[in-house]
Amino acid sequence: MTALLSLAINFTLACIMLAMMLCVVRLLLGPAAQDRVLALDTLWMCAMLLALALGMRFGNLIYFEAAMLIALTGFVSTVALTKFLMRGEVIE
Amino acid sequence: MSPDFDNLPLWVSLPVTLLLVLGSLIVLIGAIGLVRLPHFFQRIHGPAITVTLGAGCILIASMVFFTALQSRLVIHELLITAFILLTAPVVAMLIMRTAVYRDLRARRRDGKTESNEVYPFSPDE
């Protein structure tokens, strides 16, 4: 049973990293700027889940702090990018 | 440095395994939808699944796992859960409004219309 649990945690890490690679694909070839912002938003969400899964993999609660910081800064950066896209391509 | 999974009982490791597999598959399906769907207003549904269901499953699995591993109540993942559930609709609404605004502005600039856009072009605008 314990081998199954560690296998499930490794499977979670692999799936989240594959999802991050797909987000990077959309970030690189997104046709419009809002596609890139959406891909970046999904990318930090996957990074937060990756930090949580790493914390379960190593049995350490310090990864929770990293996940909390990624969640906070990702929200602020996405809001800033969308407000920038609303105003235009040039920084005022 | 791997934790000692040996003293975890079966009623902990079985639901944690199921929640982890379910959550990671949902995250992967959301990312595939982000890449594969053809239009922007369809692509925004994939990350919504990732944010709500996938993150919820993995956060619940983490809470149950650390509660059993440390033999005390560890529920501070509820902070991340509450924060995500509060901010995900705000982020989705901002990105969608930005896309609509940019579509309308680009159409006003060059006067062309596309058939699969949300707001069809009416000439009296």
Side-chain angles (χ1 to χ4, degrees):
Chain A
M1 201 58 226
T2 62
L4 188 60
L5 181 56
S6 90
L7 194 66
I9 293 177
N10 288 331
F11 176 73
T12 305
L13 287 172
C15 278
I16 292 173
M17 290 184 72
L18 191 57
M20 288 176 81
M21 283 179 207
L22 292 176
C23 291
V24 169
V25 167
R26 178 50 74 191
L27 183 66
L28 288 179
L29 56 84
Q34 57 261 27
D35 292 297
R36 298 176 203 269
V37 174
L38 183 63
L40 200 63
D41 187 63
T42 316
L43 191 63
W44 69 254
M45 176 62 66
C46 289
M48 191 210 73
L49 293 178
L50 187 71
L52 279 175
L54 277 177
M56 295 178 70
R57 169 71 178 78
F58 294 113
N60 200 342
L61 277 177
I62 205 71
Y63 289 91
F64 166 75
E65 321 281 340
M68 194 77 205
L69 280 179
I70 291 170
L72 288 168
T73 56
F75 170 68
V76 174
S77 69
T78 308
V79 170
L81 280 174
T82 52
K83 293 304 282 183
F84 169 67
L85 288 187
M86 288 285 278
R87 296 297 290 177
E89 304 288 344
V90 184
I91 297 177
E92 296 181 0
Chain B
M1 183 194 77
S2 180
D4 46 349
F5 290 148
D6 296 332
N7 50 6
L8 287 180
L10 180 65
W11 62 271
V12 168
S13 58
L14 195 59
V16 168
T17 302
L18 288 179
L19 280 173
L20 276 179
V21 171
L22 185 65
S24 58
L25 283 180
I26 287 172
V27 168
L28 192 56
I29 288 169
I32 289 172
L34 179 69
V35 173
R36 293 278 299 170
L37 286 175
H39 194 253
F40 174 75
F41 295 102
Q42 297 166 355
R43 280 199 282 271
I44 202 168
H45 293 296
I49 291 292
T50 297
V51 166
T52 53
L53 271 176
C57 285
I58 293 179
L59 283 162
I60 291 173
S62 178
M63 270 190 275
V64 175
F65 179 78
F66 279 113
T67 300
L69 192 68
Q70 301 204 343
S71 302
R72 64 187 174 91
L73 196 59
V74 180
I75 53 169
H76 55 198
E77 279 88 356
L78 281 180
L79 276 174
I80 295 182
T81 310
F83 182 74
I84 284 174
L85 288 182
L86 282 179
T87 58
V90 179
V91 166
M93 190 198 70
L94 275 175
I95 295 178
M96 278 188 276
R97 286 180 69 89
T98 303
V100 169
Y101 181 78
R102 282 170 64 88
D103 278 352
L104 290 176
R105 192 176 57 192
R107 191 182 306 141
R108 195 179 306 127
R109 194 165 55 227
D110 55 4
K112 281 188 306 194
T113 178
E114 293 178 10
S115 62
N116 55 356
E117 284 180 344
V118 172
Y119 295 107
F121 179 70
S122 64
D124 54 347
E125 287 184 25

